[in-house]
Amino acid sequence: MGEKTGGVFQVGLNRARYLDLANMHFIQQNYDAVKESLYAFLDTVDEESEPGVYIIDQFDVLYDERKQQRMKLEQSILDAGFLEQSITGNNGFTQIEIETLHGMKTVCWTAARKFGLLYE
C-alpha cells in the first residue's frame, strides 16, 4: 500500500503522474519518454493482481494486432520491390510502433479507471 497523503495514497498519485507524463510526451512525439512513463506506471501494478492480469491480456491482444499489421506491411514491401522498401519501410514500422504505444497508453488509462488504480 502507498503512503497516505492528504486523503489520497501516494501510489495513486505516482500512477496518475506517470500516465499524465505519457500523454504529454506522446503529444511532443517523444516516444522513448512515453515508453519510460508507461513502464514506470506498470512497475507499480502487481502482475498477478486483477488489474495486472487485465493489462497483460489487453497487451497480448494489442501485440497480436500489431504483429499482423507488421507482417502485412513487410509483405507489401516485398511485393513492391527494393526501391519502395528503402523509401517506405522505416516509416511504416515507425507508425506501427507509435500506434502500439498509443494502444498501450489507452490500456493503462482504462485499467487505472476500471480498477481505481489512481486512488490506492
Side-chain angles (χ1 to χ4, degrees):
M1 280 282 156
E3 180 181 319
K4 194 170 182 179
T5 309
V8 179
F9 286 99
Q10 188 63 39
V11 172
L13 289 174
N14 286 338
R15 288 174 178 158
R17 185 178 317 130
Y18 298 141
L19 292 178
D20 285 341
L21 285 171
N23 281 342
M24 289 188 313
H25 293 307
F26 195 85
I27 290 168
Q28 296 168 346
Q29 298 179 349
N30 184 354
Y31 301 117
D32 287 332
V34 173
K35 281 198 284 192
E36 289 176 22
S37 297
L38 291 176
Y39 291 151
F41 170 82
L42 293 171
D43 284 343
T44 69
V45 180
D46 180 12
E47 292 178 8
E48 296 179 15
S49 67
E50 188 177 5
V53 170
Y54 171 83
I55 290 170
I56 290 169
D57 289 346
Q58 293 302 308
F59 278 7
D60 286 346
V61 170
L62 181 66
Y63 290 140
D64 287 344
E65 290 171 359
R66 297 305 181 239
K67 183 177 177 182
Q68 292 300 321
Q69 286 179 340
R70 187 175 184 136
M71 288 172 45
K72 287 179 185 176
L73 177 63
E74 288 174 351
Q75 188 58 48
S76 68
I77 289 171
L78 290 173
D79 292 344
F82 179 75
L83 179 62
E84 282 94 80
Q85 179 179 5
S86 63
I87 294 170
T88 63
N90 290 335
N91 289 338
F93 294 135
T94 301
Q95 186 61 36
I96 290 172
E97 291 168 357
I98 292 168
E99 290 173 8
T100 301
L101 278 176
H102 186 268
M104 289 174 65
K105 194 167 61 78
T106 302
V107 167
C108 290
W109 271 109
T110 302
R113 286 190 306 269
K114 182 175 183 173
F115 297 102
L117 297 177
L118 305 181
Y119 305 103
E120 290 184 351

